[in-house]
Amino acid sequence: MSSGQGGYADAYRRSLEDPAAFWADAAKGVSWIRKPKQILDESNPPIYRWYPGARLNVCYNALDRHIIEGRADQDALIYDSPVTGTKRRYTYAELLDLTARFAGGLEALGVTKGDTVLIYMPMVPEAVIAMLACARIGAVHSVVFGGFAPAELAVRIDDARPKVIVSASCGVEPTRVVEYKPLLDEALRRAEHQPETNVILQRQQAQAEMGPKDVEWRTLMTPNAVPPAGCVTVEATDPLYILYTSGTTGRPKGIVRDSGGYAVALTWSMKAIYGVGPGDVMFTASDVGWVVGHSYIVYGPLLAGATTVLYEGKPVGTPDAGAFWRVVEEYGVNAVFTAPTAFRAIRRADPNAELLAGKNIQSLKTLFLAGERLDPDTYAWATEKLGVPVVDNWWQTETGWPICANPRGLDDLPLKPGSPSVPIPGYDVQVLGPDGQALEAGQEGAICIRLPMPPGTLATLWQDDDRYVSSYLSAFEGWYLSGDGGYKDEDGYVFVMGRTDDVINVAGHRLSTGSMEAVLAAHPAVAECAVIGVHDALKGQQPRGFVVLKSGVDTPPAQLQDELVELVRAEIGAVASLRRIDVVNALPKTRSGKILRKTMRQIADGAEVMVPSTIEDASVLEALSPILKW
Ligand code: COA
Ligand code: AMP
C-alpha cells in the first residue's frame, strides 16, 4: 500500500496489533474524571465495552474544558440561516452559559441521569444546546430528524420513552414553513408513551399553540429562574444518545452510543482524519438529525475546541448555488463536510462554478463528502473547481465515525476516484464471500468489520441486545455486517458499491423501502406492493413504487397514485421523495413468494440483470420491464 509520509501504515498496524495500547493512547485526548484503567472489556462477546470503569462528562469535554484552557471568547458555534435571514455567533463562554441554563431547566422538569429526552427540532442553535444540556446532566438524548412525519416520530417516542420532548414551533424550508407542533401533537396522539413535558421553542415564523403539558423554551431560560446545572459524572459505558436509523424493516433501529468511547474516537478523528484542531472552523452541511450532524456539527468540532458552523439552508436556492462559498469566505472555513448530493445540486445549478468567482475561499483546506457513494464525476468536478483535496469517507449511523477515509492528519495518501480510500485505524475491514471467507482483491462481496470494532461504534440497540446481535453480528461469526457490498483493490483501497439490503439513500438521507411498502400496503385499494431504490442523477437514489390493486377497485390510477404519494409524505415525511408509483398487474416473485426486488432494481438501473432460476412466472417480469426501464 502506498503510504505517503508513512503515518497511516504505522498507526493502522498498531491499532490492529494491540488495540488496547492504541486506544489507551488516544484516550489521553479526553479529560476524564476517573481515567481508564481497563481499556476493552472482552468478557461478553460479541458485545464489547470500551473503557469500563472510567468516568467523564462529554459536555465538560465539549465546552467547560476549552474555557479553562483559554478559549472562552473564541467562537464555538456560528449560526447562519439564510432561510430566516439570521446570523449569530456564540463563544464557548456563551454556549456554556446557555447549555448550563437549559440543563438546569431540564433538571427542574425532573430529568435526571439515565432519563431519555427526545429532540425534534430544525437546524437552530437551541437543538445543539439541548443535546449538550442532556450530555451535561447524563440524560440520554434522541434527536429525530425534523423532516420525519408524525408516524415515524411516534414509533421513536414509543421506543425511547422520553421524559421530556424538546421541539420548536416550526422549521423553515425554502418554499414553506413547516409547523412542527401540530406534527408533534399528532405523533403524541398516536404514541402510547407520553412524556411529562414538552419544551417548545417559539420561532417568529409560526407560533405554536401551547397545551397543558407544554412549556416555552424562553420560560425555562428566564434568567435566574432555575440554577444552571453542573456536569454530572457518567460512566464511559453509559449511553450518550440513541439515534434511530432505517433498517430493512419498517421498525427503525435505536443505535446506542456510549459516552467515553465516542468522546475518544471523535477527538482522535478530528485531528487524524479531518485535520481540524483548536481554533479551526468546520462547516458540516448536514442536519443535527443525522449521524453526520451528531458527530461533525455538534460533538466532534466542539470536542476539538474548533468552531462549528450550523447552517439552516440548502446548497442551492438559499439564495443560490454560491451559498456554500459565501459561508466559507465569511467565516474562514477550513473544512467543509457534506453529502455528494449537495455538490451535484450545486453543479447542476452552476456547472462552471461562476458563483465562485470573486469569492475568497483560501481558508479551505479540504472538502469531505460522505453519506452516499461519491461518483467519480462529482469528485472530479469538485476537485477541479475548488482546487483542494476532496476526501470521500464511508461510514454509517452505526459506527458514528469513519470506517474508511483518507486520513488527512496522519498522512498524504493518494486519492482514488470512486473509493473512500483505506480502512481507518481500529477497523479491520474485509470483503467476505457467502461462506465467510475473505475474498481476494477485486472480488465483490459483503463488506464486514472484524470484532471488536473500535471505540465510538454502536454499543448495542436500545434495550435490545438480541436484535443487535441478530441484525449485525450473526451473518458471520466474529464479524460486523455493514450491509454494504463492495471490494478492495490491490492497494487495499475499499470501493463501496451500495447496500445489499432494502435500505436506500435518497439525497444522503437513509430510508427504508420496507417502511414505504408498509404505508402503501395500508391503503384499502392495494393488494400488494414493492418499493425499490433506483439510480437518480441528483439524489443518488430515488424510490419507485409498484402496486397491484385489489380486484374490483375502480379508482382511476392517476387519482390513486396521488393518494399514495400523499400518504407516504404524511406517514414518513416529504424526505422520502416517493413521487413515482405505477399500478401494475402483478409483481415478479420466486416460487416461494419472495418479490424479486433486486432483479427489478437491476432492470430499472440498466445494470446486468440476474433472474433467479426460482422465478415463478417469467412473463410477469417481461411485462414489467418496459415500465421499470421508463
Ligand atoms: N423538515 C421538513 N421538511 C424537510 C426537511 C426538514 N428538515 N428536509 C427536507 N424536507 C422536505 C423538503 O422540503 C422537500 O419537500 P418537497 O417535496 O415538498 O419539496 C422534501 O423533504 C425532499 O427534500 P430534499 O431531500 O432536501 O430534496 P430537495 O429536492 O428539496 O433538495 C438537495 C435537494 C440536493 C438540495 C437536498 O437534498 C440537499 O441539500 N441534500 C444534502 C443532503 C444532506 O445534507 N444529507 C445529510 C447526510 S450527510
Ligand atoms: P447513514 O447511516 O445514514 O450514515 O447511512 C449509511 C449508509 O450510507 C452506508 O451503509 C452506505 O450505504 C452509505 N454511505 C455512506 N457514506 C458512503 C460513502 N462514502 N460511499 C458509499 N456509500 C456511503
Side-chain angles (χ1 to χ4, degrees):
M1 182 181 305
S2 161
S3 58
Q5 305 154 5
Y8 164 73
D10 178 53
Y12 190 66
R13 187 185 40 75
R14 284 190 293 114
S15 78
L16 296 195
E17 277 175 11
D18 191 350
F22 187 89
W23 293 111
D25 195 36
K28 292 180 188 148
V30 165
S31 178
W32 301 89
I33 294 161
R34 190 204 276 163
K35 285 191 179 151
K37 287 205 181 80
Q38 186 185 356
I39 303 304
L40 176 63
D41 174 3
E42 298 179 277
S43 62
N44 185 30
I47 293 179
Y48 298 86
R49 296 273 180 268
W50 287 95
Y51 311 114
R55 293 190 180 155
L56 79 166
N57 180 281
V58 176
C59 179
Y60 176 87
N61 275 276
L63 298 177
D64 307 59
R65 176 186 179 176
H66 303 304
I67 292 162
I68 294 163
E69 289 173 5
R71 303 195 165 272
D73 298 328
Q74 180 200 303
D75 287 335
L77 185 143
I78 299 172
Y79 170 52
D80 186 293
S81 170
V83 289
T84 60
T86 318
K87 291 176 190 175
R88 209 188 139 183
R89 290 168 182 261
Y90 299 77
T91 63
Y92 270 98
E94 284 165 337
L95 195 59
L96 173 60
D97 174 53
L98 292 165
T99 301
R101 278 164 53 197
F102 191 67
L106 288 176
E107 280 183 336
L109 295 175
V111 177
T112 57
K113 183 172 159 180
D115 285 338
T116 50
V117 172
L118 188 141
I119 300 171
Y120 180 60
M121 292 188 103
M123 285 284 285
V124 290
E126 287 80 358
V128 179
I129 291 166
M131 291 166 77
L132 294 168
C134 289
R136 192 166 189 82
I137 59 173
V140 182
H141 62 68
S142 184
V143 183
V144 176
F145 174 58
F148 279 128
E152 292 288 325
L153 181 54
V155 174
R156 289 156 173 80
I157 292 172
D158 277 339
D159 199 73
R161 307 181 67 77
K163 189 174 251 184
V164 167
I165 294 183
V166 185
S167 189
S169 58
C170 65
V172 183
E173 285 295 290
T175 52
R176 65 186 194 284
V177 170
V178 181
E179 293 205 32
Y180 277 30
K181 187 59 184 2
L183 301 177
L184 173 61
D185 289 343
E186 174 59 22
L188 289 171
R189 266 191 292 279
R190 291 172 178 234
E192 265 177 40
H193 173 82
Q194 298 294 312
E196 289 175 14
T197 314
N198 303 309
V199 180
I200 308 295
L201 173 76
Q202 295 282 15
R203 303 187 77 193
Q204 268 176 9
Q205 295 74 17
Q207 280 291 303
E209 206 175 299
M210 303 294 279
K213 278 188 173 184
D214 304 334
V215 176
E216 282 202 24
W217 177 281
R218 64 170 171 213
T219 309
L220 216 55
M221 293 293 270
T222 310
N224 306 321
V226 291
C231 291
V232 170
T233 303
V234 303
E235 298 289 324
T237 49
D238 279 341
L240 175 66
Y241 65 75
I242 312 164
L243 179 55
Y244 288 90
T245 190
S246 301
T248 47
T249 66
R251 220 177 106 224
K253 292 176 173 146
I255 303 301
V256 177
R257 191 82 59 213
D258 70 5
S259 301
Y262 189 55
V264 171
L266 286 191
T267 304
W268 184 86
S269 75
M270 286 304 295
K271 196 166 167 217
I273 300 177
Y274 298 99
V276 172
D280 287 339
V281 182
M282 185 167 196
F283 168 31
T284 300
S286 174
D287 190 288
V288 288
W290 305 116
V291 70
V292 172
H294 278 63
S295 295
Y296 297 109
I297 295 176
V298 184
Y299 288 109
L302 296 178
L303 286 168
T307 302
T308 185
V309 179
L310 183 80
Y311 175 75
E312 190 183 27
K314 302 272 175 180
V316 295
T318 56
D320 57 32
F324 280 13
W325 324 142
R326 195 249 321 144
V327 170
V328 171
E329 177 176 54
E330 202 164 326
Y331 307 120
V333 170
N334 308 114
V336 169
F337 185 175
T338 189
T341 307
F343 265 74
R344 287 197 293 270
I346 293 170
R347 181 186 180 190
R348 181 178 278 197
D350 183 19
N352 299 319
E354 281 160 18
L355 293 166
L356 243 181
K359 291 271 185 334
N360 180 353
I361 60 157
Q362 274 178 359
S363 61
L364 185 65
K365 286 194 264 180
T366 322
L367 168 65
F368 295 94
L369 295 172
E372 51 172 332
R373 184 166 178 270
L374 171 58
D375 54 285
D377 268 6
T378 306
Y379 167 81
W381 187 83
T383 306
E384 186 210 319
K385 298 300 178 213
L386 296 181
V388 298
V390 174
V391 176
D392 184 5
N393 47 129
W394 169 61
W395 48 296
Q396 320 176 302
T397 308
E398 287 84 347
T399 65
W401 62 289
I403 308 166
C404 287
N406 201 295
R408 306 305 295 167
L410 277 185
D411 217 322
D412 188 19
L413 300 177
L415 294 157
K416 293 193 189 187
S419 168
S421 298
V422 291
I424 286 300
Y427 291 98
D428 184 354
V429 179
Q430 301 293 339
V431 178
L432 304 187
D435 58 357
Q437 291 302 308
L439 298 176
E440 286 177 13
Q443 286 187 308
E444 206 170 317
I447 311 183
C448 295
I449 302 161
R450 194 190 300 273
L451 297 176
M453 293 206 286
T457 53
L458 79 170
T460 184
L461 294 182
W462 182 240
Q463 293 178 338
D464 202 346
D465 285 352
D466 289 347
R467 191 175 177 212
Y468 168 49
V469 173
S470 65
S471 304
Y472 299 103
L473 311 180
S474 298
F476 304 110
E477 208 187 317
W479 297 87
Y480 166 85
L481 182 75
S482 73
D484 281 303
Y487 64 93
K488 276 190 187 179
D489 74 4
E490 298 287 347
D491 297 324
Y493 276 58
V494 176
F495 288 74
V496 182
M497 304 312 287
R499 299 286 306 194
T500 54
D501 54 19
D502 295 324
V503 168
I504 60 170
N505 231 296
V506 181
H509 308 317
R510 175 165 159 183
L511 299 163
S512 148
T513 54
S515 64
M516 292 185 221
E517 288 181 359
V519 174
L520 298 183
H523 190 284
V526 173
E528 54 179 357
C529 62
V531 175
I532 57 169
V534 300
H535 176 76
D536 181 81
L538 175 66
K539 297 193 175 187
Q541 279 188 304
Q542 280 278 29
R544 269 187 73 180
F546 301 86
V547 293
V548 179
L549 302 186
K550 287 181 182 155
S551 60
V553 171
D554 53 9
T555 320
Q559 181 190 327
L560 196 72
Q561 283 153 348
D562 289 349
E563 280 176 28
L564 291 170
V565 165
E566 215 20 72
L567 201 60
V568 172
R569 283 177 75 89
E571 292 290 310
I572 296 177
V575 277
S577 284
L578 179 57
R579 299 217 167 84
R580 173 113 199 256
I581 296 170
D582 289 285
V583 177
V584 297
N585 291 329
L587 293 168
K589 289 183 188 163
T590 60
R591 282 193 284 277
S592 59
K594 205 168 161 271
I595 298 172
L596 295 173
R597 294 182 182 81
K598 193 169 168 192
T599 314
M600 289 168 67
R601 201 168 61 224
Q602 287 164 345
I603 297 174
D605 285 348
E608 192 187 335
V609 181
M610 277 168 326
V611 182
S613 56
T614 52
I615 189 163
E616 187 188 30
D617 179 355
S619 69
V620 174
L621 192 61
E622 267 168 45
L624 194 62
S625 286
I627 303 172
L628 282 163
K629 285 181 188 150
W630 191 80

